[in-house]
Amino acid sequence: MPSGSPIDLTNQFLIAMPGMADETFAGTVVYLCEHNEKGALGLVINKPIDIKLRNLFEKVELELAQEELAEQPVFFGGPVQTERGFVLHERLGANYNSTLSIPGGLEMTTSKDVLEAIAEGHGPKKVLVTLGYSGWQPGQLEDEIGRNGWLSVDADPRIIFDTPIEQRYDGALSLLGIDPRMLSQEAGHA
């Protein structure tokens, strides 16, 4: 790809290739919330941590009455700002204090009001909550893709919200028609 042509990977999955040098991202699928000339921001969707949503809500002094959400795990979203929560959710048209509407995709909210709405039962029903996010400087992600670190494909919300966690990596690969056993760590150069 010519260096002057910007690619926009917003609303795509980044799928870590086998042999990913960075252990933080080995075996991960990242949903890209934003990708532009300033860099990229995404959330890992398949690395649960040992905190349930019920526990997270208790920490922010909210009661989560919805049992189906209460037992959902919180996810490691990435190594940046790991003390901060990020809520990836279906688009509702609600106005939260700090929401990024992802073109063609979902919404990502960082303000507590989305948690309050969920606790009260009128927030989004399909949510993935992370601590931390994944970030790339301008050109860094493109470089990693060029070195065979990542595959990208248009995101499918069903993989985020409806697919069992342990099947999300293979599910994202299947969007490309790829069997994970067929992947090689080697980059092909002609």
Side-chain angles (χ1 to χ4, degrees):
M1 147 183 35
S3 60
S5 64
I7 55 170
D8 183 0
L9 299 174
T10 300
N11 192 34
Q12 295 217 354
F13 287 141
L14 289 179
I15 306 162
M17 288 290 286
M20 166 67 75
D22 186 340
E23 276 302 309
T24 304
F25 291 107
T28 63
V29 178
V30 177
Y31 176 77
L32 272 183
C33 302
E34 189 171 51
H35 181 233
N36 55 37
E37 68 283 346
K38 296 177 190 159
L41 180 150
L43 301 173
V44 175
I45 64 161
N46 66 332
K47 270 198 170 180
I49 58 177
D50 61 357
I51 300 172
K52 300 282 186 213
L53 281 184
R54 174 190 324 280
N55 309 115
L56 182 74
F57 275 69
E58 287 169 1
K59 282 185 184 191
V60 295
E61 299 176 2
L62 291 172
E63 186 178 334
L64 181 58
Q66 300 173 57
E67 260 329 288
E68 69 280 3
L69 289 179
E71 292 306 310
Q72 216 176 343
V74 173
F75 289 79
F76 167 78
V80 184
Q81 294 187 1
T82 54
E83 72 292 339
R84 189 164 174 210
F86 296 82
V87 182
L88 186 62
H89 57 88
E90 61 194 333
R91 193 175 303 229
L92 288 182
N95 291 321
Y96 301 113
N97 290 331
S98 182
T99 297
L100 171 66
S101 284
I102 301 154
L106 305 168
E107 292 183 332
M108 191 260 303
T109 301
T110 57
S111 49
K112 185 178 177 183
D113 54 348
V114 71
L115 298 179
E116 292 165 348
I118 293 167
E120 293 164 7
H122 58 80
K125 304 286 183 244
K126 294 187 178 221
V127 298
L128 181 130
V129 179
T130 74
L131 290 178
Y133 72 92
S134 304
W136 291 265
Q137 298 296 321
Q140 182 183 2
L141 179 57
E142 293 82 350
D143 181 58
E144 290 179 14
I145 290 171
R147 288 186 283 114
N148 207 34
W150 300 98
L151 291 171
S152 66
V153 64
D154 289 339
D156 182 340
R158 291 175 300 192
I159 290 176
I160 299 169
F161 301 121
D162 303 329
T163 302
I165 298 162
E166 65 280 358
Q167 295 173 19
R168 291 179 186 175
Y169 184 85
D170 290 353
L173 281 173
S174 73
L175 295 173
L176 287 166
I178 294 176
D179 180 331
R181 296 169 300 185
M182 305 305 286
L183 288 178
S184 165
Q185 297 179 28
E186 305 302 315
H189 299 284

